[in-house]
Amino acid sequence: MRRWLACQIIVLFALFTEAAQAAPDAVAPKPAALVVDQIPDIPLAIVEQTRPYMEYRTASFVDWDPESKAMLISTRFADTRQLHRVTAPMAQRQQLTFASEPVLRARYAPDGTSLLFQKDSGGNEVHQIFALDSGKPKLLTDGKSRNSLGPWSSSGKMLAFGSNKRTGLYNDIYLMDPAKPEDARMLVASTGGGWFPIDFSPDDKHLLVFNYVSVTDNQLYLIDTVKGNLRKLTESKKPVAYEGLQFAPDGKLWAASDDGSDVKRLGILNPETSLFEPMVDEKIWDISDFDISKDGRWIAFEVNQAGRSMLKFYDTRSGKVRAVNALPSGVISGVKFAPWGELGLTLNSNRTGTDAYSINPETLTITRWTQSETGGLNAANNASPELVEIKSFDGEPMSGFLYRPDPKKHKGKRPLIISVHGGPEGQATPRFLGRNNYLINELGIAIFYPNVRGSTGFGKRFVSLDNGPWQRENSVLDIGAFLDHLRKDKRIDRKHIAVTGGSYGGYMTLASMLRYGKRLKAGLEVVGISNFVTFLENTQAYRRDLRRVEYGDERNAEQRAKLLEISPLQRASEIKIPLMVVTGANDPRVPASEADQVIKAVRANDRPAWHLLAKNEGHGFRKKANADYQFWASLIFWRKYLLEEQ
C-alpha cells in the first residue's frame, strides 16, 4: 500500500512539474461562441494577473415583494444576471431564475402573488414575457414577437404590455390577464414610433401610454381601458420630453418634463387641459427619475448633476424638499417605494461597487441590502473620477469624467484612453468601472469619459446640437477639444493616447481615428456604425424611423450624400493606426455587417484590424465568459499598440 502511494505521489509530482514547465506557453480557452481574427492567443498568465478584476459582481434593485417584504435584485452567480430574493438587509441571496440568458427586468403583482419577467435570446432583443410559476418560467407571449413588460393594473388583475406580433414591426399596446394570456386584448394599433404602456390610473379606468418620437419629442395618450378610446394629452406646439410619468393615489398625473424649460422639472400634468405645472425646479439640472409613495405623501426624485446623482424627497404636504447627502457619490437608478414606505434603489459608484439600498423617507436613514463581491479587492481603493470641464471649438461648455491612476504607485506621465459613450442620447456618468479598474490600478492607464454635444443630462438644447448629418461631425470636433485640453495635462503622456467606444461611440472612435490619427496610437470600437447609410438601411425596421430623426434620412438624396460623406467607411483607407473591432452577431441595432465592411476596408490598406465576434451576443457582450475574453483581447491590444513604442 505504501509503495502504491509512493508511486502515485511520484506520478503526481511529475505531472505537476510538466504543467509548471508548460505554464509560460499555456493559453486561455476560448468560449465556443467566439470567433477571433488576427487576435493572438490569450496567455494564461494574463488570465491569472487579471483574475481579481474579473470576479466582481454587481447587484441591482428590481422590485419589492409585497408579501414577504423581501427585495428583488438582479445579480450574477454564473454566466448571466438572474433574479434573486433578499429577505433582509445583507441576508443571503436566494436565486429565483436560472436562465442561460440575462434576466434584468421584472415586476411583482401588487399583492405579491405573481412575478413576471422578460428576457431575450442571444442578445436579439426579441423579448418574451414569463411568469415564475412554482419556480419554473411559464411563457406568456408567443415566443416569436418582440414584447415589452409594462405596468400591472392597480387591482393587480391585468398587465399592460407592448408587442409587435400584429405587424412584426411596431409596438402595439395590449392588456392581458397573466392567468389567461391567450385572451390578451389589443388597445392601440400603432403605425410607427415607439409605443409603451406607462401607468394605470388608480381606478384602472385609464392607461397612460407613451409614444417615443425622439429624445426631445414624447407624445402622451390616455386610453379608456373599457371602451378603448384614445385621447392625446400633449398638444404643445413644441416637442416635449418626459421622464418617470406616474399617477399619484389621488389621481394626479406627475411627470418630469421639459415643457417650458430647457431641463426637466417635476410637476403635475393636467389631463384635461394638457397644462404642466412645475412643482420642483432644479434650475440647470434635469430631474431624471422619480417615484411616489403609496400614501402619496413622498416623491423621491433623482437630480442629474452633470452625470452625478443627487437623491431628494419632496413632501407633497408641506412642499419642502430634502436631499439625501449621506449617499456615496455615484449614479442612482431604479427608485421605487415599497407598499410599507421604504424606498429601494441601486447605487453605482467606483469606490463602492454596484449594490441595492433602501432609504427611510422620514428619517433619511440609508440601509445597504447587498454588498457584492469585488474579487477580493477593496473597491474603496479604486480611482475617484474628477469632473473635467472645457469649452469646445465653438465655445460650447461641456464636461467629462477622468479616472487617474494613483500617482504614488504609477509615477510620471500616464497613457490615456478616451472612452466615448453610445446613444448618442446617452451620458457618461461616474460609475463602477469593473474590469477597467485593472487598466487604471495595475497598468497605470488613465481613462476619460467625455460628454460631447448630443449627450443627455444637460438639457434639450444640448442634446439636439448634433442632430442631422450637417451637425454630426461637430461632436467629433468636441473630441478634438478634449484632446487639446488633456494633452496639456502635466500628468498625461500626450504621446500615448487611444480612443474607444461602443455603438454610436464606435462611430466616434472611427471618426476620431480619421480626424486625429496623428495624435492617437490606436482605436477599439465595439458594435459601432461605420456607414450611416448602410446602418439605416439594415438596422431593424422598427428602429429605422427613430434613428432617422437623429442621424438623417438616407432616402433623401441630399441627406444621403452628406451621410455618406461623414461615414468613416468612405475614408477607411486613411486609417493609419491599429484598429480592433468587437461584434455581436445577433445585434438588432447595429448589424454585424457594419463591422465586416470597415475591417475589410482597413485590411485592404495593409493595416492591423483585429476582430472579435460573438455568435451568441447582440448589442454588446452580456455573458461573463465572453466579456472576460473580450477584456483580455483588448488588454493585449492596448499593451501592444498603446503602451509599447511602435
Side-chain angles (χ1 to χ4, degrees):
M1 183 68 178
R2 289 180 178 177
R3 181 177 296 179
W4 181 86
L5 283 173
C7 290
Q8 295 303 307
I9 291 172
I10 292 172
V11 170
L12 288 172
F13 180 79
L15 289 172
F16 177 81
T17 304
E18 182 181 351
Q21 292 173 344
D25 298 323
V27 298
K30 177 180 65 65
L34 294 186
V35 178
V36 299
D37 188 2
Q38 285 196 0
I39 299 174
D41 289 335
I42 309 297
L44 271 179
I46 285 181
V47 174
E48 292 306 315
Q49 291 166 11
T50 61
R51 188 176 298 282
Y53 292 89
M54 303 292 105
E55 300 308 322
Y56 72 91
R57 292 190 179 94
T58 62
S60 300
F61 169 75
V62 177
D63 203 357
W64 293 103
D65 182 348
E67 278 193 319
S68 66
K69 294 190 176 181
M71 181 181 280
L72 184 69
I73 66 167
S74 172
T75 190
R76 178 196 55 75
F77 271 78
D79 202 34
T80 60
R81 294 173 66 87
Q82 300 295 315
L83 298 177
H84 294 69
R85 179 191 290 118
V86 182
T87 57
M90 307 307 290
Q92 183 176 352
R93 292 158 284 196
Q94 176 191 359
Q95 189 164 343
L96 301 179
T97 61
F98 297 84
S100 59
E101 300 293 342
V103 179
L104 305 176
R105 190 175 184 188
R107 294 180 187 266
Y108 273 107
D111 62 1
T113 57
S114 181
L115 174 61
L116 306 185
F117 63 92
Q118 71 175 41
K119 68 179 183 70
D120 69 356
S121 178
N124 64 4
E125 301 186 20
V126 182
H127 293 100
Q128 304 302 318
I129 299 175
F130 298 81
L132 196 63
D133 186 3
S134 300
K136 299 179 181 179
K138 177 184 176 182
L139 182 64
L140 301 183
T141 45
D142 61 11
K144 299 178 292 184
S145 59
R146 188 185 69 254
N147 303 273
S148 57
L149 181 64
W152 284 93
S153 62
S154 302
S155 67
K157 296 179 180 179
M158 302 295 289
L159 177 88
F161 70 103
S163 178
N164 73 343
K165 65 181 180 179
R166 180 179 61 91
T167 64
L169 296 176
Y170 307 118
N171 252 19
D172 298 326
I173 307 298
Y174 290 82
L175 274 186
M176 171 176 64
D177 176 355
K180 301 177 181 178
E182 66 278 4
D183 295 335
R185 175 167 59 98
M186 187 172 64
L187 290 178
V188 175
S190 69
T191 57
W195 288 76
F196 302 95
I198 301 297
D199 196 19
F200 284 90
S201 60
D203 59 7
D204 285 340
K205 291 182 179 180
H206 294 92
L207 174 65
L208 180 70
V209 299
F210 174 105
N211 182 20
Y212 182 97
V213 177
S214 72
V215 68
T216 56
D217 187 1
N218 312 154
Q219 299 170 0
L220 305 181
Y221 297 80
L222 267 185
I223 305 174
D224 185 315
T225 56
V226 177
K227 299 179 181 178
N229 297 336
L230 184 71
R231 180 163 62 90
K232 191 175 182 181
L233 300 185
T234 46
E235 298 294 346
S236 175
K237 295 181 181 179
K238 294 183 179 180
V240 175
Y242 297 90
E243 292 274 1
L245 294 143
Q246 189 176 351
F247 284 103
D250 62 4
K252 291 180 180 177
L253 178 56
W254 286 79
S257 172
D258 62 12
D259 191 354
S261 170
D262 186 51
V263 297
K264 296 183 180 74
R265 302 173 292 178
L266 180 65
I268 299 170
L269 179 64
N270 188 323
E272 301 301 325
T273 64
S274 297
L275 294 177
F276 177 71
E277 180 186 3
M279 305 300 289
V280 181
D281 187 346
E282 291 290 329
K283 307 304 180 184
I284 63 172
W285 306 120
D286 269 339
I287 293 175
S288 54
D289 192 16
F290 71 90
D291 194 51
I292 305 172
S293 63
K294 303 309 175 185
D295 62 2
R297 179 178 178 183
W298 302 104
I299 301 180
F301 63 94
E302 178 208 341
V303 184
N304 184 335
Q305 299 179 342
R308 285 192 171 95
S309 296
M310 170 61 70
L311 182 66
K312 297 186 178 183
F313 286 93
Y314 174 69
D315 188 336
T316 60
R317 295 178 186 173
S318 67
K320 293 182 179 179
V321 174
R322 294 181 301 159
V324 184
N325 295 311
L327 276 172
S329 177
V331 180
I332 294 165
S333 60
V335 294
K336 185 174 183 179
F337 279 102
W340 51 93
E342 195 83 354
L343 180 77
L345 57 90
T346 302
L347 175 66
N348 187 324
S349 172
N350 202 39
R351 285 194 163 177
T352 63
T354 302
D355 277 299
Y357 294 74
S358 71
I359 299 177
N360 184 307
E362 297 276 359
T363 64
L364 302 187
T365 301
I366 301 168
T367 303
R368 187 168 185 167
W369 279 68
T370 62
Q371 187 161 3
S372 299
E373 297 82 357
T374 52
L377 302 171
N378 185 354
N381 294 331
N382 290 333
S384 181
E386 62 183 71
L387 184 68
V388 174
E389 298 178 287
I390 69 163
K391 288 189 176 180
S392 193
F393 69 95
D394 57 355
E396 184 67 36
M398 54 193 59
S399 60
F401 290 98
L402 177 61
Y403 294 76
R404 296 183 188 268
D406 183 351
K408 295 179 181 179
K409 181 177 180 180
H410 300 284
K411 302 183 184 301
K413 295 184 177 182
R414 307 312 309 166
L416 172 71
I417 296 173
I418 298 175
S419 181
V420 190
H421 68 71
E425 308 100 329
Q427 185 180 23
T429 54
R431 295 175 173 269
F432 177 60
L433 297 187
R435 298 171 180 84
N436 281 342
N437 279 313
Y438 178 85
L439 302 178
I440 301 169
N441 297 344
E442 305 302 332
L443 298 187
I445 300 174
I447 305 180
F448 178 64
Y449 296 85
N451 279 311
V452 298
R453 69 191 65 210
S455 301
T456 54
F458 303 92
K460 59 187 178 186
R461 184 194 66 85
F462 190 83
V463 79
S464 301
L465 289 178
D466 66 342
N467 286 1
W470 283 273
Q471 295 191 97
R472 179 60 47 205
E473 289 193 305
N474 287 342
S475 59
V476 183
L477 296 178
D478 294 336
I479 295 296
F482 279 118
L483 262 174
D484 291 340
H485 177 85
L486 293 166
R487 281 163 57 90
K488 296 175 184 176
D489 190 307
K490 294 181 180 179
R491 293 170 59 189
I492 297 296
D493 183 350
R494 60 185 295 162
K495 294 182 179 180
H496 290 83
I497 300 177
V499 63
T500 187
S503 191
Y504 176 73
Y507 153 73
M508 290 287 286
T509 296
L510 294 171
S512 296
M513 292 172 72
L514 283 167
R515 188 175 287 270
Y516 308 114
K518 292 182 179 180
R519 292 192 272 173
L520 298 171
K521 294 280 287 183
L524 192 163
E525 70 102 328
V526 181
V527 297
I529 300 168
S530 62
N531 183 323
F532 283 110
V533 170
T534 56
F535 159 70
L536 289 167
E537 290 175 338
N538 296 319
T539 191
Q540 288 292 304
Y542 71 91
R543 304 186 70 256
R544 200 164 290 142
D545 286 340
L546 300 175
R547 295 297 78 199
R548 284 169 176 154
V549 174
E550 172 66 36
Y551 296 122
D553 192 335
E554 83 288 359
R555 298 167 299 181
N556 176 283
E558 186 180 14
Q559 293 189 44
R560 184 184 184 91
K562 186 62 178 179
L563 286 167
L564 286 172
E565 178 188 326
I566 64 174
S567 293
L569 184 64
Q570 299 298 103
R571 299 171 50 205
S573 62
E574 299 175 31
I575 292 178
K576 306 298 183 184
I577 57 178
L579 170 68
M580 177 173 169
V581 179
V582 178
T583 313
N586 304 323
D587 194 339
R589 303 186 182 207
V590 180
S593 54
E594 290 297 301
D596 295 338
Q597 59 194 14
V598 76
I599 290 168
K600 181 179 179 181
V602 171
R603 287 178 179 174
N605 199 34
D606 201 26
R607 297 294 177 180
W610 297 13
H611 190 200
L612 180 63
L613 170 71
K615 294 184 287 186
N616 61 345
E617 300 278 13
H619 200 60
F621 289 10
R622 304 180 304 175
K623 296 178 173 65
K624 183 181 185 299
N626 294 342
D628 284 349
Y629 202 92
Q630 176 188 343
F631 179 79
W632 293 323
S634 67
L635 178 57
I636 292 176
F637 182 79
W638 294 134
R639 280 181 166 174
K640 181 176 179 62
Y641 293 118
L642 173 62
L643 301 185
E644 294 180 7
E645 294 294 343
Q646 299 298 312

